[in-house]
Amino acid sequence: MDRLGSFSNDPSDKPPCRGCSSYLMEPYIKCAECGPPPFFLCLQTSDFPVLDPSWTAQEEMALLEAVMDCGFGNWQDVANQMCTKTKEECEKHYMKHFINNPLFASTLLNLKQAEEAKTADTAIPFHSTDDPPRPTFDSLLSRDMAGYMPARADFIEEFDNYAEWDLRDIDFVEDDSDILHALKMAVVDIYHSRLKERQRRKKIIRDHGLINLRKFQLMERRYPKEVQDLYETMRRFARIVGPVEHDKFIESHALEFELRREIKRLQEYRTAGITNFCSARTYDHLKKTREEERLKRTMLSEVLQYIQDSSACQQWLRRQADIDSGVSPSIPMASNSGRRSAPPLNLTGLPGTEKLNEKEKELCQMVRLVPGAYLEYKSALLNECNKQGGLRLAQARALIKIDVNKTRKIYDFLIREGYITKG
């Protein structure tokens, strides 16, 4: 589509249509490849195909208008408005010719590059955060927003909330001595500095979009774990560099992380002798298959230890089901031939394993304790030891309601590694 802005209002000055020889009227079609002279085609007679032999120009216009009216994705409503095409036909045609069309994609890319070049030397505009929600008083959302009142741009309880109390008894009178007057003025100056600090903190909260905490947390979770850790570390510097610079810094590191991961993947392909992406897809499929087979062999090697004892085999299967669901196994391993100690717990894939050092992994394997439960027990014992200045085994058993032998092993391990001290 093109515009007639370059022609005068006189119809005789406008170029004729190559199809019907009538003077052009907007909208009309200008061929991007033909010319010179340019090839113009009006839409007064619109029963000719443009992009698809089975779609006329009139239907193309009707499709675009229907998508604009009904919204992208509402294909049933689009089809109802067009009346001549089905839902599937509308979706397939629009996606093929208006979304995935390489001609349109290159045109949009050129427009984007031109816009970026135009504003390359100018400052990036920063738009303030969206107007936060207005929850009812003392609701859960209000507490999440720390009691923020959008209509007043204030909090129910401000920073340094009782700063005004220091001024409530101050009264300037004419018979004040110079020292007393100077003292009162110093108190007022201190109050002003406390107000400035309050406003500074509120400005940081507004500029960085921290009022709606849940929305901020959802935005933070879209990054990989490594970038989230960086986000947490750099958060304290956000008030120094400003919101735009801080976000650009995080985004640049997120992009660097993605590029490094992609480079590592390409290096892996090159090491394996792969030179095209078709072979790379086959390689990834085979790698995934090999990994699945390796896990099956690992599980099979554990099953073979008890394959001669059907009762022990059934207990092993139930215990693995408990482990897969994140529940600490409670079935003792025994056989008809006598009492037998259970094999070490397989920590592969269990949540929290990456937070353990090698000695802690060995402890969890021998005690048969999932890493998540061990970390909770360890945190509880450390907190109690810090409060009491030491910890006895009886106190540890009172805190951890599990098997006393496991508690003893965990307690001895923490003592031996220096995490806690005896009371």
Side-chain angles (χ1 to χ4, degrees):
M1 299 294 179
D2 207 343
R3 309 294 295 179
L4 292 172
S6 58
F7 302 101
S8 64
N9 295 328
D10 189 355
S12 60
D13 292 339
K14 298 176 182 178
C17 170
R18 291 290 187 92
C20 62
S21 300
S22 62
Y23 294 113
L24 289 179
M25 296 184 64
E26 294 183 350
Y28 67 96
I29 297 175
K30 177 182 178 182
C31 181
E33 298 179 357
C34 303
F39 187 92
F40 295 104
L41 197 64
C42 71
L43 297 180
Q44 305 304 315
T45 56
S46 54
D47 56 350
F48 55 89
V50 179
L51 301 175
D52 191 294
S54 61
W55 284 68
T56 64
Q58 184 64 35
E59 288 175 330
E60 298 282 0
M61 295 179 61
L63 175 63
L64 296 178
E65 293 177 358
V67 172
M68 185 179 299
D69 295 339
C70 303
F72 176 78
N74 299 321
W75 302 115
Q76 187 59 57
D77 295 339
V78 171
N80 294 338
Q81 181 169 327
M82 287 195 61
C83 300
T84 59
K85 299 293 181 180
T86 65
K87 166 187 173 183
E88 291 75 14
E89 290 175 336
C90 293
E91 180 180 4
K92 182 180 178 180
H93 183 82
Y94 192 86
M95 295 301 296
K96 177 180 179 181
H97 295 286
F98 295 99
I99 299 297
N100 300 323
N101 191 327
L103 175 62
F104 291 166
S106 61
T107 303
L108 293 176
L109 180 61
N110 293 335
L111 291 176
K112 181 179 180 182
Q113 292 175 346
E115 184 66 21
E116 291 178 351
K118 185 186 301 183
T119 59
D121 299 332
T122 60
I124 298 176
F126 173 69
H127 301 285
S128 58
T129 57
D130 298 334
D131 186 40
R134 300 170 184 256
T136 58
F137 176 73
D138 203 28
S139 62
L140 178 60
L141 183 56
S142 177
R143 291 192 293 270
D144 288 343
M145 294 169 59
Y148 182 72
M149 299 178 291
R152 297 178 53 183
D154 288 332
F155 291 89
I156 295 177
E157 185 171 348
E158 297 281 358
F159 170 76
D160 198 0
N161 197 48
Y162 300 100
E164 288 79 9
W165 284 28
D166 294 337
L167 299 178
R168 59 182 178 176
D169 296 328
I170 292 182
D171 186 17
F172 289 89
V173 295
E174 294 181 358
D175 55 351
D176 283 343
S177 63
D178 294 341
I179 295 178
L180 182 58
H181 181 80
L183 179 61
K184 292 180 179 180
M185 291 300 299
V187 173
V188 174
D189 292 339
I190 293 174
Y191 170 69
H192 284 165
S193 64
R194 294 166 75 177
L195 285 184
K196 290 180 180 179
E197 177 63 18
R198 180 188 295 175
Q199 293 300 322
R200 186 186 71 86
R201 291 174 178 256
K202 288 169 63 175
K203 184 177 185 300
I204 292 175
I205 292 175
R206 287 195 299 267
D207 290 347
H208 288 271
L210 302 179
I211 295 174
N212 193 340
L213 184 59
R214 291 186 180 181
K215 181 178 179 181
F216 179 81
Q217 291 173 341
L218 289 175
M219 294 179 60
E220 183 178 349
R221 289 172 188 165
R222 63 190 174 97
Y223 295 114
K225 182 180 182 303
E226 293 78 3
V227 181
Q228 290 184 20
D229 295 339
L230 175 67
Y231 210 132
E232 181 67 26
T233 304
M234 297 302 299
R235 183 176 298 168
R236 66 197 66 182
F237 301 105
R239 58 183 180 178
I240 301 176
V241 298
V244 177
E245 290 78 7
H246 180 260
D247 289 346
K248 288 172 63 177
F249 176 80
I250 298 297
E251 288 289 343
S252 63
H253 277 270
L255 178 60
E256 179 189 3
F257 174 79
E258 293 294 336
L259 291 176
R260 288 181 180 273
R261 185 167 61 180
E262 184 66 16
I263 291 173
K264 184 177 179 181
R265 185 172 70 93
L266 296 176
Q267 288 176 340
E268 180 183 357
Y269 292 156
R270 180 57 60 89
T271 304
I274 297 173
T275 58
N276 56 73
F277 286 104
C278 181
S279 302
R281 287 192 294 269
T282 305
Y283 173 80
D284 290 337
H285 176 71
L286 293 176
K287 180 180 178 181
K288 181 179 179 181
T289 304
R290 288 195 299 268
E291 184 65 21
E292 293 175 352
E293 291 295 332
R294 186 187 67 80
L295 293 177
K296 291 180 181 178
R297 288 196 299 270
T298 302
M299 180 178 295
L300 181 61
S301 64
E302 295 182 1
V303 173
L304 289 177
Q305 301 180 46
Y306 304 101
I307 201 65
Q308 303 297 331
D309 191 336
S310 60
S311 176
C313 184
Q314 292 296 326
Q315 292 180 1
W316 184 90
L317 292 174
R318 287 195 294 268
R319 190 178 77 258
Q320 288 298 323
D322 291 340
I323 294 173
D324 293 340
S325 61
V327 180
S328 180
S330 58
I331 303 176
M333 290 306 303
S335 66
N336 296 333
S337 60
R339 186 175 183 85
R340 180 188 302 172
S341 59
L345 176 65
N346 184 9
L347 302 181
T348 304
L350 294 181
T353 305
E354 70 280 357
K355 300 180 181 180
L356 306 180
N357 57 37
E358 293 302 324
K359 293 184 178 180
E360 289 177 323
K361 290 180 181 178
E362 182 179 356
L363 173 68
C364 290
Q365 289 174 337
M366 300 307 298
V367 180
R368 301 194 59 78
L369 192 65
V370 295
Y374 165 75
L375 293 173
E376 292 182 4
Y377 299 152
K378 176 184 175 182
S379 177
L381 295 178
L382 289 177
N383 292 335
E384 187 65 21
C385 180
N386 293 332
K387 291 179 182 179
Q388 304 294 337
L391 192 66
R392 300 194 306 272
L393 177 59
Q395 294 173 316
R397 287 174 174 170
L399 287 173
I400 304 177
K401 304 297 183 180
I402 59 175
D403 180 71
V404 292
N405 295 323
K406 292 185 178 182
T407 304
R408 178 58 183 264
K409 292 179 181 180
I410 296 174
Y411 177 80
D412 292 342
F413 173 81
L414 296 178
I415 290 290
R416 186 170 61 253
E417 296 298 323
Y419 290 105
I420 60 175
T421 57
K422 289 185 178 181

mmCIF file of all heavy atoms in Angstrom, residues 134-170:
data_model
loop_
_atom_site.group_PDB
_atom_site.id
_atom_site.type_symbol
_atom_site.label_atom_id
_atom_site.label_comp_id
_atom_site.label_asym_id
_atom_site.label_seq_id
_atom_site.Cartn_x
_atom_site.Cartn_y
_atom_site.Cartn_z
ATOM 1 N N ARG A 134 -4.682 -0.402 43.225
ATOM 2 C CA ARG A 134 -5.186 0.325 44.397
ATOM 3 C C ARG A 134 -5.958 -0.651 45.280
ATOM 4 O O ARG A 134 -7.188 -0.704 45.219
ATOM 5 C CB ARG A 134 -6.070 1.488 43.959
ATOM 6 C CG ARG A 134 -5.334 2.500 43.080
ATOM 7 C CD ARG A 134 -6.270 3.523 42.460
ATOM 8 N NE ARG A 134 -5.554 4.414 41.571
ATOM 9 C CZ ARG A 134 -5.225 5.663 41.877
ATOM 10 N NH1 ARG A 134 -5.561 6.153 43.038
ATOM 11 N NH2 ARG A 134 -4.573 6.410 41.024
ATOM 12 N N PRO A 135 -5.257 -1.436 46.076
ATOM 13 C CA PRO A 135 -5.940 -2.449 46.895
ATOM 14 C C PRO A 135 -6.658 -1.812 48.075
ATOM 15 O O PRO A 135 -6.371 -0.680 48.480
ATOM 16 C CB PRO A 135 -4.789 -3.340 47.364
ATOM 17 C CG PRO A 135 -3.615 -2.407 47.408
ATOM 18 C CD PRO A 135 -3.810 -1.439 46.273
ATOM 19 N N THR A 136 -7.597 -2.573 48.618
ATOM 20 C CA THR A 136 -8.298 -2.109 49.816
ATOM 21 C C THR A 136 -7.358 -2.118 51.012
ATOM 22 O O THR A 136 -6.367 -2.859 51.047
ATOM 23 C CB THR A 136 -9.509 -3.009 50.101
ATOM 24 O OG1 THR A 136 -9.059 -4.365 50.258
ATOM 25 C CG2 THR A 136 -10.503 -2.938 48.954
ATOM 26 N N PHE A 137 -7.691 -1.313 51.987
ATOM 27 C CA PHE A 137 -6.827 -1.172 53.151
ATOM 28 C C PHE A 137 -6.687 -2.500 53.895
ATOM 29 O O PHE A 137 -7.664 -3.230 54.082
ATOM 30 C CB PHE A 137 -7.394 -0.096 54.091
ATOM 31 C CG PHE A 137 -6.611 0.058 55.374
ATOM 32 C CD1 PHE A 137 -5.372 0.671 55.351
ATOM 33 C CD2 PHE A 137 -7.102 -0.433 56.570
ATOM 34 C CE1 PHE A 137 -4.647 0.827 56.515
ATOM 35 C CE2 PHE A 137 -6.388 -0.285 57.742
ATOM 36 C CZ PHE A 137 -5.155 0.344 57.715
ATOM 37 N N ASP A 138 -5.473 -2.823 54.301
ATOM 38 C CA ASP A 138 -5.157 -4.006 55.107
ATOM 39 C C ASP A 138 -5.426 -5.313 54.352
ATOM 40 O O ASP A 138 -5.585 -6.368 54.968
ATOM 41 C CB ASP A 138 -5.946 -3.997 56.422
ATOM 42 C CG ASP A 138 -5.260 -4.860 57.486
ATOM 43 O OD1 ASP A 138 -4.021 -5.002 57.415
ATOM 44 O OD2 ASP A 138 -5.960 -5.403 58.347
ATOM 45 N N SER A 139 -5.485 -5.260 53.021
ATOM 46 C CA SER A 139 -5.605 -6.498 52.251
ATOM 47 C C SER A 139 -4.213 -7.095 52.049
ATOM 48 O O SER A 139 -3.187 -6.483 52.372
ATOM 49 C CB SER A 139 -6.249 -6.226 50.892
ATOM 50 O OG SER A 139 -5.446 -5.350 50.127
ATOM 51 N N LEU A 140 -4.168 -8.306 51.505
ATOM 52 C CA LEU A 140 -2.880 -8.968 51.277
ATOM 53 C C LEU A 140 -2.030 -8.174 50.294
ATOM 54 O O LEU A 140 -0.822 -7.988 50.510
ATOM 55 C CB LEU A 140 -3.113 -10.388 50.751
ATOM 56 C CG LEU A 140 -1.849 -11.191 50.409
ATOM 57 C CD1 LEU A 140 -0.974 -11.357 51.641
ATOM 58 C CD2 LEU A 140 -2.216 -12.548 49.827
ATOM 59 N N LEU A 141 -2.638 -7.674 49.210
ATOM 60 C CA LEU A 141 -1.894 -6.889 48.237
ATOM 61 C C LEU A 141 -1.401 -5.584 48.835
ATOM 62 O O LEU A 141 -0.300 -5.113 48.529
ATOM 63 C CB LEU A 141 -2.768 -6.618 47.012
ATOM 64 C CG LEU A 141 -2.097 -5.861 45.860
ATOM 65 C CD1 LEU A 141 -0.844 -6.585 45.404
ATOM 66 C CD2 LEU A 141 -3.065 -5.686 44.700
ATOM 67 N N SER A 142 -2.212 -4.983 49.720
ATOM 68 C CA SER A 142 -1.784 -3.749 50.380
ATOM 69 C C SER A 142 -0.563 -3.996 51.248
ATOM 70 O O SER A 142 0.361 -3.180 51.291
ATOM 71 C CB SER A 142 -2.936 -3.184 51.222
ATOM 72 O OG SER A 142 -2.520 -2.033 51.929
ATOM 73 N N ARG A 143 -0.540 -5.130 51.920
ATOM 74 C CA ARG A 143 0.638 -5.458 52.740
ATOM 75 C C ARG A 143 1.849 -5.747 51.861
ATOM 76 O O ARG A 143 2.979 -5.382 52.215
ATOM 77 C CB ARG A 143 0.330 -6.645 53.647
ATOM 78 C CG ARG A 143 -0.670 -6.314 54.755
ATOM 79 C CD ARG A 143 -0.715 -7.413 55.800
ATOM 80 N NE ARG A 143 -1.270 -8.645 55.256
ATOM 81 C CZ ARG A 143 -2.562 -8.945 55.275
ATOM 82 N NH1 ARG A 143 -3.431 -8.095 55.804
ATOM 83 N NH2 ARG A 143 -2.994 -10.094 54.782
ATOM 84 N N ASP A 144 1.624 -6.394 50.707
ATOM 85 C CA ASP A 144 2.733 -6.637 49.789
ATOM 86 C C ASP A 144 3.313 -5.326 49.259
ATOM 87 O O ASP A 144 4.509 -5.239 48.968
ATOM 88 C CB ASP A 144 2.264 -7.493 48.606
ATOM 89 C CG ASP A 144 1.998 -8.927 49.019
ATOM 90 O OD1 ASP A 144 2.484 -9.320 50.102
ATOM 91 O OD2 ASP A 144 1.296 -9.647 48.290
ATOM 92 N N MET A 145 2.480 -4.305 49.129
ATOM 93 C CA MET A 145 2.930 -3.002 48.647
ATOM 94 C C MET A 145 3.382 -2.099 49.792
ATOM 95 O O MET A 145 3.587 -0.896 49.598
ATOM 96 C CB MET A 145 1.795 -2.318 47.872
ATOM 97 C CG MET A 145 1.433 -3.041 46.582
ATOM 98 S SD MET A 145 -0.087 -2.407 45.846
ATOM 99 C CE MET A 145 0.350 -0.689 45.605
ATOM 100 N N ALA A 146 3.539 -2.682 50.985
ATOM 101 C CA ALA A 146 4.024 -1.930 52.157
ATOM 102 C C ALA A 146 3.118 -0.755 52.499
ATOM 103 O O ALA A 146 3.588 0.275 52.974
ATOM 104 C CB ALA A 146 5.461 -1.458 51.941
ATOM 105 N N GLY A 147 1.819 -0.910 52.247
ATOM 106 C CA GLY A 147 0.882 0.144 52.602
ATOM 107 C C GLY A 147 0.957 1.368 51.726
ATOM 108 O O GLY A 147 0.642 2.478 52.177
ATOM 109 N N TYR A 148 1.359 1.217 50.466
ATOM 110 C CA TYR A 148 1.468 2.370 49.576
ATOM 111 C C TYR A 148 0.077 2.846 49.156
ATOM 112 O O TYR A 148 -0.791 2.048 48.825
ATOM 113 C CB TYR A 148 2.281 1.997 48.343
ATOM 114 C CG TYR A 148 2.480 3.140 47.384
ATOM 115 C CD1 TYR A 148 3.332 4.192 47.692
ATOM 116 C CD2 TYR A 148 1.818 3.167 46.162
ATOM 117 C CE1 TYR A 148 3.522 5.240 46.811
ATOM 118 C CE2 TYR A 148 2.016 4.208 45.268
ATOM 119 C CZ TYR A 148 2.858 5.243 45.608
ATOM 120 O OH TYR A 148 3.053 6.275 44.729
ATOM 121 N N MET A 149 -0.122 4.169 49.188
ATOM 122 C CA MET A 149 -1.385 4.786 48.790
ATOM 123 C C MET A 149 -1.150 5.579 47.505
ATOM 124 O O MET A 149 -0.602 6.692 47.544
ATOM 125 C CB MET A 149 -1.896 5.699 49.905
ATOM 126 C CG MET A 149 -2.168 4.956 51.218
ATOM 127 S SD MET A 149 -2.705 6.065 52.551
ATOM 128 C CE MET A 149 -1.172 6.969 52.852
ATOM 129 N N PRO A 150 -1.530 5.031 46.344
ATOM 130 C CA PRO A 150 -1.205 5.689 45.071
ATOM 131 C C PRO A 150 -1.797 7.083 44.927
ATOM 132 O O PRO A 150 -1.178 7.955 44.326
ATOM 133 C CB PRO A 150 -1.784 4.723 44.024
ATOM 134 C CG PRO A 150 -1.898 3.412 44.725
ATOM 135 C CD PRO A 150 -2.199 3.727 46.140
ATOM 136 N N ALA A 151 -3.001 7.293 45.456
ATOM 137 C CA ALA A 151 -3.634 8.605 45.289
ATOM 138 C C ALA A 151 -2.841 9.710 45.976
ATOM 139 O O ALA A 151 -2.842 10.862 45.534
ATOM 140 C CB ALA A 151 -5.068 8.561 45.815
ATOM 141 N N ARG A 152 -2.163 9.372 47.057
ATOM 142 C CA ARG A 152 -1.375 10.363 47.795
ATOM 143 C C ARG A 152 0.118 10.231 47.549
ATOM 144 O O ARG A 152 0.900 11.072 47.997
ATOM 145 C CB ARG A 152 -1.644 10.219 49.293
ATOM 146 C CG ARG A 152 -3.073 10.489 49.691
ATOM 147 C CD ARG A 152 -3.273 10.286 51.188
ATOM 148 N NE ARG A 152 -2.331 11.049 51.977
ATOM 149 C CZ ARG A 152 -2.263 10.999 53.303
ATOM 150 N NH1 ARG A 152 -3.080 10.210 53.975
ATOM 151 N NH2 ARG A 152 -1.374 11.720 53.955
ATOM 152 N N ALA A 153 0.530 9.134 46.891
ATOM 153 C CA ALA A 153 1.954 8.861 46.665
ATOM 154 C C ALA A 153 2.705 8.786 47.985
ATOM 155 O O ALA A 153 3.869 9.189 48.081
ATOM 156 C CB ALA A 153 2.581 9.909 45.746
ATOM 157 N N ASP A 154 2.049 8.259 49.015
ATOM 158 C CA ASP A 154 2.639 8.114 50.341
ATOM 159 C C ASP A 154 2.412 6.691 50.834
ATOM 160 O O ASP A 154 1.585 5.953 50.297
ATOM 161 C CB ASP A 154 2.025 9.097 51.335
ATOM 162 C CG ASP A 154 2.466 10.532 51.078
ATOM 163 O OD1 ASP A 154 3.576 10.699 50.551
ATOM 164 O OD2 ASP A 154 1.698 11.451 51.378
ATOM 165 N N PHE A 155 3.152 6.347 51.869
ATOM 166 C CA PHE A 155 2.965 5.073 52.543
ATOM 167 C C PHE A 155 2.231 5.300 53.852
ATOM 168 O O PHE A 155 2.319 6.373 54.458
ATOM 169 C CB PHE A 155 4.317 4.404 52.828
ATOM 170 C CG PHE A 155 5.033 3.938 51.593
ATOM 171 C CD1 PHE A 155 5.898 4.776 50.918
ATOM 172 C CD2 PHE A 155 4.841 2.659 51.104
ATOM 173 C CE1 PHE A 155 6.558 4.359 49.780
ATOM 174 C CE2 PHE A 155 5.493 2.225 49.973
ATOM 175 C CZ PHE A 155 6.353 3.071 49.305
ATOM 176 N N ILE A 156 1.499 4.279 54.271
ATOM 177 C CA ILE A 156 0.807 4.387 55.552
ATOM 178 C C ILE A 156 1.821 4.620 56.672
ATOM 179 O O ILE A 156 1.605 5.433 57.567
ATOM 180 C CB ILE A 156 -0.024 3.113 55.817
ATOM 181 C CG1 ILE A 156 -1.133 2.994 54.770
ATOM 182 C CG2 ILE A 156 -0.610 3.131 57.224
ATOM 183 C CD1 ILE A 156 -1.957 1.726 54.903
ATOM 184 N N GLU A 157 2.932 3.916 56.598
ATOM 185 C CA GLU A 157 4.016 4.130 57.553
ATOM 186 C C GLU A 157 5.262 4.489 56.763
ATOM 187 O O GLU A 157 5.834 3.652 56.063
ATOM 188 C CB GLU A 157 4.255 2.876 58.403
ATOM 189 C CG GLU A 157 5.292 3.090 59.486
ATOM 190 C CD GLU A 157 5.373 1.932 60.463
ATOM 191 O OE1 GLU A 157 4.475 1.078 60.431
ATOM 192 O OE2 GLU A 157 6.344 1.880 61.234
ATOM 193 N N GLU A 158 5.688 5.736 56.869
ATOM 194 C CA GLU A 158 6.815 6.224 56.097
ATOM 195 C C GLU A 158 8.137 5.814 56.736
ATOM 196 O O GLU A 158 8.190 5.383 57.899
ATOM 197 C CB GLU A 158 6.759 7.755 55.986
ATOM 198 C CG GLU A 158 5.545 8.288 55.251
ATOM 199 C CD GLU A 158 5.699 8.179 53.748
ATOM 200 O OE1 GLU A 158 6.769 7.715 53.287
ATOM 201 O OE2 GLU A 158 4.764 8.554 53.023
ATOM 202 N N PHE A 159 9.202 5.973 55.943
ATOM 203 C CA PHE A 159 10.537 5.804 56.504
ATOM 204 C C PHE A 159 10.787 6.888 57.563
ATOM 205 O O PHE A 159 10.452 8.051 57.368
ATOM 206 C CB PHE A 159 11.591 5.908 55.393
ATOM 207 C CG PHE A 159 12.994 5.995 55.901
ATOM 208 C CD1 PHE A 159 13.636 4.869 56.389
ATOM 209 C CD2 PHE A 159 13.665 7.207 55.912
ATOM 210 C CE1 PHE A 159 14.937 4.954 56.865
ATOM 211 C CE2 PHE A 159 14.962 7.299 56.389
ATOM 212 C CZ PHE A 159 15.598 6.164 56.869
ATOM 213 N N ASP A 160 11.369 6.483 58.683
ATOM 214 C CA ASP A 160 11.581 7.407 59.805
ATOM 215 C C ASP A 160 10.258 8.072 60.165
ATOM 216 O O ASP A 160 10.120 9.304 60.200
ATOM 217 C CB ASP A 160 12.639 8.445 59.421
ATOM 218 C CG ASP A 160 13.229 9.138 60.649
ATOM 219 O OD1 ASP A 160 12.800 8.796 61.780
ATOM 220 O OD2 ASP A 160 14.089 10.015 60.481
ATOM 221 N N ASN A 161 9.279 7.224 60.450
ATOM 222 C CA ASN A 161 7.890 7.662 60.553
ATOM 223 C C ASN A 161 7.651 8.652 61.686
ATOM 224 O O ASN A 161 6.689 9.427 61.636
ATOM 225 C CB ASN A 161 6.989 6.434 60.739
ATOM 226 C CG ASN A 161 5.540 6.731 60.441
ATOM 227 O OD1 ASN A 161 5.225 7.332 59.411
ATOM 228 N ND2 ASN A 161 4.653 6.341 61.339
ATOM 229 N N TYR A 162 8.502 8.657 62.681
ATOM 230 C CA TYR A 162 8.286 9.541 63.845
ATOM 231 C C TYR A 162 9.249 10.725 63.852
ATOM 232 O O TYR A 162 9.555 11.282 64.912
ATOM 233 C CB TYR A 162 8.447 8.730 65.134
ATOM 234 C CG TYR A 162 7.463 7.593 65.232
ATOM 235 C CD1 TYR A 162 7.854 6.297 64.927
ATOM 236 C CD2 TYR A 162 6.140 7.822 65.598
ATOM 237 C CE1 TYR A 162 6.941 5.245 64.993
ATOM 238 C CE2 TYR A 162 5.227 6.776 65.666
ATOM 239 C CZ TYR A 162 5.635 5.493 65.368
ATOM 240 O OH TYR A 162 4.731 4.462 65.429
ATOM 241 N N ALA A 163 9.717 11.110 62.665
ATOM 242 C CA ALA A 163 10.637 12.253 62.601
ATOM 243 C C ALA A 163 9.971 13.540 63.067
ATOM 244 O O ALA A 163 10.633 14.433 63.634
ATOM 245 C CB ALA A 163 11.144 12.423 61.165
ATOM 246 N N GLU A 164 8.662 13.678 62.869
ATOM 247 C CA GLU A 164 7.962 14.911 63.259
ATOM 248 C C GLU A 164 7.828 15.071 64.769
ATOM 249 O O GLU A 164 7.548 16.175 65.251
ATOM 250 C CB GLU A 164 6.574 14.940 62.629
ATOM 251 C CG GLU A 164 6.566 15.177 61.120
ATOM 252 C CD GLU A 164 6.907 13.939 60.335
ATOM 253 O OE1 GLU A 164 6.991 12.854 60.961
ATOM 254 O OE2 GLU A 164 7.098 14.029 59.114
ATOM 255 N N TRP A 165 8.020 13.985 65.500
ATOM 256 C CA TRP A 165 7.842 14.079 66.945
ATOM 257 C C TRP A 165 8.856 15.020 67.590
ATOM 258 O O TRP A 165 8.582 15.612 68.637
ATOM 259 C CB TRP A 165 7.953 12.692 67.578
ATOM 260 C CG TRP A 165 6.712 11.857 67.369
ATOM 261 C CD1 TRP A 165 5.835 11.933 66.337
ATOM 262 C CD2 TRP A 165 6.226 10.822 68.232
ATOM 263 N NE1 TRP A 165 4.827 11.025 66.482
ATOM 264 C CE2 TRP A 165 5.038 10.315 67.643
ATOM 265 C CE3 TRP A 165 6.677 10.273 69.422
ATOM 266 C CZ2 TRP A 165 4.300 9.294 68.217
ATOM 267 C CZ3 TRP A 165 5.948 9.236 69.998
ATOM 268 C CH2 TRP A 165 4.752 8.758 69.397
ATOM 269 N N ASP A 166 10.034 15.149 66.983
ATOM 270 C CA ASP A 166 11.062 16.016 67.567
ATOM 271 C C ASP A 166 10.704 17.496 67.446
ATOM 272 O O ASP A 166 11.328 18.341 68.095
ATOM 273 C CB ASP A 166 12.415 15.768 66.880
ATOM 274 C CG ASP A 166 12.939 14.374 67.156
ATOM 275 O OD1 ASP A 166 12.528 13.774 68.167
ATOM 276 O OD2 ASP A 166 13.749 13.872 66.351
ATOM 277 N N LEU A 167 9.697 17.823 66.614
ATOM 278 C CA LEU A 167 9.307 19.221 66.424
ATOM 279 C C LEU A 167 8.024 19.594 67.154
ATOM 280 O O LEU A 167 7.648 20.766 67.164
ATOM 281 C CB LEU A 167 9.123 19.520 64.927
ATOM 282 C CG LEU A 167 10.342 19.354 64.018
ATOM 283 C CD1 LEU A 167 9.948 19.655 62.577
ATOM 284 C CD2 LEU A 167 11.464 20.269 64.456
ATOM 285 N N ARG A 168 7.357 18.614 67.725
ATOM 286 C CA ARG A 168 6.023 18.902 68.254
ATOM 287 C C ARG A 168 6.053 19.856 69.448
ATOM 288 O O ARG A 168 5.076 20.571 69.702
ATOM 289 C CB ARG A 168 5.343 17.603 68.656
ATOM 290 C CG ARG A 168 6.094 16.794 69.697
ATOM 291 C CD ARG A 168 5.391 15.502 70.018
ATOM 292 N NE ARG A 168 6.144 14.706 70.995
ATOM 293 C CZ ARG A 168 5.715 13.564 71.505
ATOM 294 N NH1 ARG A 168 4.545 13.078 71.122
ATOM 295 N NH2 ARG A 168 6.462 12.914 72.383
ATOM 296 N N ASP A 169 7.167 19.884 70.199
ATOM 297 C CA ASP A 169 7.233 20.743 71.391
ATOM 298 C C ASP A 169 8.075 21.988 71.173
ATOM 299 O O ASP A 169 8.321 22.753 72.119
ATOM 300 C CB ASP A 169 7.808 19.953 72.572
ATOM 301 C CG ASP A 169 6.907 18.794 72.977
ATOM 302 O OD1 ASP A 169 5.672 18.925 72.829
ATOM 303 O OD2 ASP A 169 7.435 17.753 73.423
ATOM 304 N N ILE A 170 8.540 22.209 69.946
ATOM 305 C CA ILE A 170 9.382 23.379 69.662
ATOM 306 C C ILE A 170 8.486 24.569 69.334
ATOM 307 O O ILE A 170 7.587 24.484 68.493
ATOM 308 C CB ILE A 170 10.352 23.095 68.503
ATOM 309 C CG1 ILE A 170 11.384 22.050 68.934
ATOM 310 C CG2 ILE A 170 11.045 24.364 68.047
ATOM 311 C CD1 ILE A 170 12.409 21.750 67.869
#
